[in-house]
Amino acid sequence: MHLPRQLGPLHDLPDTPEAYDAVLAGVVEEALARLTPEGGLEHPDCVDDIGDTSLGVTSLLALAWQRGKDPRLPEAVRRSLAFHLRERVYTDDNPGYPNLRARGTGLPYARYVLEAGAHPIGDWPSTVWALLQSVNLLDLAEGLVGDEQRAELVRVARGYWRWLTEATFFNPQEAGNQAIGCVVGGLMLARHLPAPAADETRERALRLYEREIRAHRVRDRGALLPPEHGGAYDNNYGPISLSFLAQAHRVSGEAVFAEDGDALARYIDARLPGGGFDNGGPRYSEQHSGFESVLGLRYFGARIGSDLGRYRGDTLPHCLKGVGGTPRGRHAVKADGGIDGHFAWMLVWQIQDATPWHRTPATAPARHQLRAGGVSVAFDDRMTPSLVEAAGTYYLPAAVNRQHGFGPVTDGFLFCRPMGEARVRDIAADGLTAKLVSKPVVGRDHVLRHVRSLYVTDGTSLWMTVAVERLPGTPYLLAGLPYAADDGDRVRRTAEGEVTAAGELRLTHPESDGVDHFDARAERTQEEAAFALAADPRGYGNPDLGWSHLVGTTALEAAPAPGAPDDLHVFAVRYGPAGPFTPVFAADGSALTVRTESFTAVIGEAAGDAHGEPELTLTAV
């Protein structure tokens, strides 16, 4: 089976002016055929996320007219705008809405579901989206909208802003992408207001960003990130936040948005393997965004000098077809492939922004990443691999006795959680790239041991060597859960990979079929298993937290390598093409020499280094 949402790299989508004009031409024909006598442009099947959708299509028609001057469009824009102002602007409080700070304000807002009292919790983001569609249309209104209609749109947009920032609690869902989107709406709205209202709105937007978003950032893997639904990063919403930061910087020029976007971009770059697969998040786990991410990945990929567009989105680049033949990657659609105006501002912004894709990897070493060629290792906060990619296969941390990670195991205890600082050394030599991670770990026997993990790659294979003071019992190395593999434009589920070990290598599967055990041979995806263990329903639960409740998984287990020094257990595994693998080990004081068919590495402590930093030398064979 294929994973349903991990499709083609976003930078493979054509993004020339001609390609975008073709996209807009398709939107125009579908919208004109759909336009109702009342002026509505909503998809007939749209029920939720509806409050901004007709206006979103209207903004796309306005952009198409500005680029091509199709004479059919001015009337369609005016009629559909009138529909929104007449039918989709609400001023009475929605029954059951829980986040109002002031009742009966009469301020306009957009509804997530049109029926009164039906799922009102979504009204805050829907109003953000309606604000963004409004300011986009105001930017594009010249020559299309009369003075009276434009003035009414300005009044409604300003009312949306006030409802979001005065009538309700700000960012009630703790969703960074929604909150930054609201700030962007305020910054764009300010350009259409007279002084002093313009200055007041801009200053309030910047103040909200500093106090309500930036001050509440969450640290993960050394980076401070906008919180997303209670977590640090979500692989669907995180890149969307990056797009909002790009637009905030584009329209305001404020350095803070560039700085925070650079930090988020470097974080994404470090966690994302070369193949673009990723998983994890407090709201979604394998549901990637598509067109919503393009602006941010392209804009900040160019700023930090890395190929962020390798991120796999909800699109197949060669035919723009997704699951079930549904077009994706340009704008939101319904199941039949028909356009849905939801999030249309992202298509507007990515067309307006001329930043080209940066298509080559960053060259500087990153603490939480090892990457070369077709090999990648992403490291978590504990400097334990969170994702290993080699030979087109992706390995997740395996689980044993509710403990997750890569590392030595003895008597059911996994040695990967540091008791103190993890030290890292990066080196590149003779076409090889390596990272040494040294961390103190305390076992159940309360004995402090130093786990030294060496990762070496030539861009095709990954050698993982782990050394630790001799362990009791019958130890083994927990070496990953084979989960997915590249399959052309798609990613398919797998339960195997090309892996070789110096000692005996076993691929084990859980004996239990309970929900808290994950067998890679089954059809259940990681996301489905994660939500099954989450405390709240799918779409509202925390899949990362749910996944952490797994007791056991399919796992690669490698026995100790023969020939290790007497006082050490050494484990050696190679991910990638098969071939001879008989590493040799030698100890000289605190130094350990590792010789393989491809390299010789010496791991030790730098002589005379007052800081105790680990030493690593590496030479190709």
Side-chain angles (χ1 to χ4, degrees):
M1 62 174 290
H2 288 107
L3 296 178
R5 310 281 283 194
Q6 303 261 356
L7 307 179
L10 286 172
H11 63 202
D12 285 353
L13 282 168
D15 62 350
T16 62
E18 294 76 17
Y20 281 133
D21 283 337
V23 171
L24 289 174
V27 170
V28 165
E29 296 307 320
E30 183 179 341
L32 292 178
R34 179 189 296 173
L35 186 67
T36 68
E38 297 77 20
L41 287 170
E42 292 157 359
H43 190 284
D45 294 338
C46 193
V47 175
D48 55 18
D49 266 324
I50 191 173
D52 68 303
T53 59
S54 180
L55 192 60
V57 179
T58 303
S59 72
L60 293 175
L61 297 183
L63 178 62
W65 186 81
Q66 295 292 355
R67 291 169 70 87
K69 297 299 188 287
D70 185 330
R72 299 173 297 170
L73 295 181
E75 177 63 19
V77 168
R78 289 191 285 268
R79 283 177 57 195
S80 57
L81 173 56
F83 169 82
H84 178 83
L85 294 173
R86 184 181 66 249
E87 304 289 345
R88 294 296 177 257
V89 178
Y90 293 85
T91 56
D92 294 333
D93 294 346
N94 200 351
Y97 185 71
N99 296 312
L100 288 177
R101 299 174 61 189
R103 297 191 180 278
T105 63
L107 291 171
Y109 67 95
R111 285 187 177 174
Y112 178 77
V113 176
L114 299 182
E115 180 185 353
H119 203 85
I121 193 71
D123 289 354
W124 201 86
S126 288
T127 304
V128 174
W129 310 154
L131 171 61
L132 291 170
Q133 312 286 26
S134 299
V135 292
N136 264 355
L137 187 54
L138 288 170
D139 283 352
L140 299 165
E142 185 176 353
L144 281 173
V145 176
D147 291 344
E148 185 176 339
Q149 202 175 34
R150 184 188 180 280
E152 177 64 8
L153 182 58
V154 170
R155 187 191 68 80
V156 168
R158 190 175 183 188
Y160 286 153
W161 170 253
R162 291 188 59 201
W163 187 87
L164 290 163
T165 60
E166 298 175 25
T168 73
F169 290 99
F170 185 80
N171 191 22
Q173 295 183 20
E174 296 183 342
N177 75 98
Q178 298 173 8
I180 304 171
C182 182
V183 167
V184 171
L187 293 171
M188 295 182 70
L189 173 64
R191 302 187 300 184
H192 297 281
L193 298 178
D199 293 338
E200 177 185 317
T201 300
R202 177 186 170 91
E203 289 170 6
R204 183 170 178 78
L206 295 173
R207 189 163 60 248
L208 282 169
Y209 183 75
E210 285 286 350
R211 296 179 181 179
E212 301 295 336
I213 301 171
R214 202 163 196 259
H216 297 281
R217 287 176 298 170
V218 179
R219 185 175 295 278
D220 186 41
R221 309 186 195 195
L224 284 171
L225 309 173
E228 191 54 66
H229 286 284
Y233 179 81
D234 183 285
N235 74 350
N236 176 50
Y237 287 124
I240 296 175
S241 284
L242 193 66
S243 287
F244 281 130
L245 287 168
Q247 182 66 2
H249 186 241
R250 290 182 68 234
V251 301
S252 75
E254 293 289 335
V256 66
F257 298 118
E259 293 166 4
D260 291 355
D262 288 350
L264 177 54
R266 291 191 180 96
Y267 171 89
I268 294 174
D269 190 35
R271 72 173 287 144
L272 197 65
F277 169 85
D278 192 18
N279 71 290
R283 181 68 182 272
Y284 294 113
S285 194
E286 292 179 357
Q287 296 194 37
H288 274 36
S289 49
F291 74 98
E292 310 99 310
S293 303
V294 168
L295 175 66
L297 295 170
R298 196 171 65 191
Y299 189 84
F300 284 104
R303 280 187 57 89
I304 70 169
S306 194
D307 55 337
L308 295 185
R310 68 189 188 274
Y311 179 95
R312 289 183 179 269
D314 287 347
T315 182
L316 292 178
H318 66 280
C319 60
L320 298 184
K321 297 289 183 180
V323 181
T326 301
R328 299 187 187 274
R330 300 299 196 180
H331 48 70
V333 297
K334 291 300 184 186
D336 65 356
I339 186 172
D340 178 353
H342 187 51
F343 265 53
W345 65 85
M346 286 295 191
L347 177 56
V348 173
W349 297 342
Q350 66 174 271
I351 291 175
Q352 292 172 334
D353 179 62
T355 304
W357 283 112
H358 185 98
R359 296 180 180 275
T360 56
T363 56
R367 178 179 175 88
H368 295 277
Q369 178 193 57
L370 175 69
R371 181 183 173 202
V375 173
S376 303
V377 185
F379 296 87
D380 62 18
D381 262 338
R382 306 176 303 184
M383 286 309 299
T384 296
S386 62
L387 182 65
V388 169
E389 172 196 28
T393 299
Y394 303 98
Y395 303 85
L396 303 179
V400 56
N401 291 342
R402 299 185 186 275
Q403 304 161 94
H404 298 229
F406 288 74
V409 177
T410 186
D411 296 330
F413 184 84
L414 172 61
F415 288 80
C416 74
R417 295 172 298 281
M419 182 66 70
E421 184 67 21
R423 297 175 184 262
V424 178
R425 187 70 177 265
D426 288 282
I427 192 171
D430 301 333
L432 300 170
T433 306
K435 185 182 294 286
L436 173 64
V437 177
S438 177
K439 53 187 172 182
V441 177
V442 175
R444 287 202 175 104
D445 56 6
H446 300 283
V447 174
L448 181 69
R449 294 177 172 85
H450 289 83
V451 178
R452 293 177 289 176
S453 302
L454 174 65
Y455 307 86
V456 180
T457 181
D458 60 0
T460 301
S461 296
L462 171 70
W463 289 265
M464 181 190 298
T465 306
V466 180
V468 61
E469 288 90 345
R470 198 158 190 86
L471 297 165
T474 308
Y476 63 89
L477 179 73
L478 194 65
L481 157 66
Y483 177 69
D486 292 335
D487 186 11
D489 287 327
R490 304 295 299 274
V491 177
R492 62 175 170 81
R493 281 292 315 283
T494 190
E496 57 187 13
E498 296 180 90
V499 183
T500 309
E504 178 190 2
L505 182 68
R506 306 177 294 271
L507 180 63
T508 65
H509 302 285
E511 295 182 1
S512 169
D513 59 358
V515 69
D516 55 358
H517 290 78
F518 186 82
D519 191 327
R521 298 169 298 181
E523 290 193 354
R524 173 176 281 182
T525 65
Q526 183 271 347
E527 182 175 78
E528 290 169 338
F531 271 114
L533 291 166
D536 296 307
R538 184 183 178 94
Y540 298 95
N542 185 333
D544 270 5
L545 187 59
W547 183 256
S548 71
H549 293 156
L550 281 171
V551 174
T553 65
T554 292
L556 288 162
E557 300 176 355
D566 292 340
D567 60 341
L568 296 176
H569 270 124
V570 180
F571 308 88
V573 175
R574 184 183 63 201
Y575 303 82
F581 184 49
T582 54
V584 176
F585 312 98
D588 181 8
S590 62
L592 174 67
T593 299
V594 180
R595 292 186 177 88
T596 73
E597 73 286 0
S598 298
F599 65 85
T600 297
V602 180
I603 305 168
E605 294 182 358
D609 185 348
H611 304 291
E613 292 297 325
E615 182 181 58
L616 174 63
T617 60
L618 181 69
T619 55
V621 173

